[in-house]
Amino acid sequence: MAKRRLASALEAGRILGSIQIKDIQRTTVPNCHGIFSTLFSSDGSVLMSATGKGTIEIHATNDMKHLATMRRDIKTNLPITSLQANPKNEHLVLAVGSDGYISLWNMNSCECVYSFREEKNIINTVDINTSGGIYATAGKDTDIRIYDFHTHECFAVCHGKDFSDGLPMPADEVGHGRRIFAVKFHPENNNVLVSGGWDKYLKVWDIRAGNRPVRTINGPYICGQGIDIVDNCILTASWVATNSLQTYDLMSGEMIDTIPFGTRGELKTDYLYCAKFITKHSIVAGGSGTCDVRLVDINKGELLGNIDNDKRPIQTIDIAGNSMAIGGVGPAITVAKIE
């Protein structure tokens, strides 16, 4: 199905399958060097967007009015790569960045209340478990660090592959060998998380079991926010031309299905950076191939709707209730309702 342009086909909302996209609003952040992460407030009234110039931009979602700009250090202009709110205290938001800093923000006061640095690391991703007591970071150095949310003490490290001794080890017995771009805690098990990156492996970790993965899944080439979990189903978005959307069983490691992204018959390829479940039966994904986000019915393999990003790659998607936010290369931030 051909891509619909934002300004025309989706202006009043368009029903495709059982999904209606409507109330589309767009704003821009001049000279921001791209939008790397988006995050709704708990009630969906406010959107936080992490930029390539090291700021967090705050907008009201009802009219996209700019409310505030937050910045940890006016001297840095490196990207903030990931934002996550604490599920139990959603006004507390973690931000991580390419400068290696982890910062805790109070969104009620727009103040940075705590900040520290992982030396010699570029952090690409952060996630907080459902209890709100633990968070994990990962990035360039291939280690996954597990922190206590309240003390910010690192109490466990899921180590990356160590090449120093020159001895080969089976891939399923070691951590990642290249940069990590996504970590995701299991929504119902506070000790289990899944990671993925450039080495084309998913790693399943149980932090109670030590610093080796409990399961390794070969295949997904994760280059962004490309992992989500519902029940024991892992959704992956890979930066590959075709067969980019796949689901895996967390318990067995077996692939469940390859989900069509809808580029067959188009003069485009997939190359996905990010994906999220909307429901158990529908997902949304985007990347640099089609430069739009597409909503897909998992069971039927049908395209339900899409939003164009002005021919620029999608790097981030957030879902809160029936609200969706997208951002990517360029200054644009888009919000819409999904019903």
Side-chain angles (χ1 to χ4, degrees), residues 108-144:
N108 291 338
S109 61
C110 291
E111 293 179 334
C112 181
V113 296
Y114 192 84
S115 184
F116 67 101
R117 189 179 188 187
E118 291 182 0
E119 295 295 333
K120 299 180 180 180
N121 196 18
I122 295 172
I123 308 176
N124 296 321
T125 179
V126 63
D127 197 33
I128 306 172
N129 71 353
T130 304
S131 74
I134 296 171
Y135 65 92
T137 65
K140 179 181 178 181
D141 70 3
T142 74
D143 284 348
I144 300 171

Side-chain angles (χ1 to χ4, degrees), residues 216-231:
T216 293
I217 301 170
N218 183 20
Y221 183 34
I222 305 298
C223 298
Q225 301 168 12
I227 298 176
D228 202 9
I229 306 171
V230 166
D231 296 331

Side-chain angles (χ1 to χ4, degrees), residues 161 165 167-174 212:
K161 187 175 182 180
D165 58 13
L167 298 175
M169 292 186 68
D172 59 352
E173 295 183 12
V174 296
R212 288 190 176 184

Side-chain angles (χ1 to χ4, degrees), residues 2 12-13 24 44 62 67 97 116 147 190 198 204 213 245 253 278 286 319 332:
I24 296 172
N62 63 334
L67 301 177
F116 67 101
Y147 293 91
N190 286 305
W198 277 358
V204 181
L245 274 176
I278 302 172
I319 301 286

Side-chain angles (χ1 to χ4, degrees), residues 130-166:
T130 304
S131 74
I134 296 171
Y135 65 92
T137 65
K140 179 181 178 181
D141 70 3
T142 74
D143 284 348
I144 300 171
R145 293 172 176 83
I146 312 298
Y147 293 91
D148 183 291
F149 186 89
H150 305 289
T151 66
H152 302 285
E153 177 185 357
C154 179
F155 65 88
V157 179
C158 303
H159 289 291
K161 187 175 182 180
D162 184 2
F163 294 95
S164 62
D165 58 13

